[in-house]
Amino acid sequence: MPQIIPINALKNTSAISELCRSVGEPIFITKNGYGNMVIMSMEIFEKNFLLQDVFMKLEAAEQDIAEGRTKDARESLRELRQKYGL
């Protein structure tokens, strides 16, 4: 379940830092009852950033397949061996 805390709770930086590490997901910060910010630990940020990068590459690969920009794997390997004399 997502953590939601008011902006005035950010005064206690040590507790917020520990909360970020312990919950393992982004924490939503509210101001006057409305969403204002999101904070998270560096580990969660890096994991989410890596996953986003993987999903973007998969989407590009799927589009290449859909548009016919593919080659047979054996043919590609044969061309590489010829090109580099392997």
Side-chain angles (χ1 to χ4, degrees), residues 55-70:
F55 290 142
M56 287 173 53
K57 289 177 180 175
L58 284 172
E59 183 179 2
E62 287 177 353
Q63 188 164 359
D64 284 345
I65 292 168
E67 294 176 6
R69 292 190 302 257
T70 61

Side-chain angles (χ1 to χ4, degrees), residues 4-78:
I4 302 171
I5 61 174
I7 198 164
N8 63 359
L10 295 178
K11 292 177 184 175
N12 189 349
T13 57
S14 294
I16 296 298
S17 177
E18 182 57 37
L19 182 62
C20 285
R21 280 192 293 275
S22 67
V23 298
E25 62 185 10
I27 299 171
F28 299 91
I29 311 297
T30 61
K31 182 177 181 181
N32 298 325
Y34 296 96
N36 185 261
M37 293 185 275
V38 177
I39 60 174
M40 64 183 80
S41 69
M42 288 297 294
E43 293 85 14
I44 297 302
F45 174 79
E46 289 171 352
K47 178 183 173 186
N48 288 346
F49 193 76
L50 176 66
L51 285 174
Q52 180 183 8
D53 185 51
V54 169
F55 290 142
M56 287 173 53
K57 289 177 180 175
L58 284 172
E59 183 179 2
E62 287 177 353
Q63 188 164 359
D64 284 345
I65 292 168
E67 294 176 6
R69 292 190 302 257
T70 61
K71 274 187 164 181
D72 179 69
R74 288 183 180 90
E75 179 185 332
S76 295
L77 288 172
R78 186 171 20 82

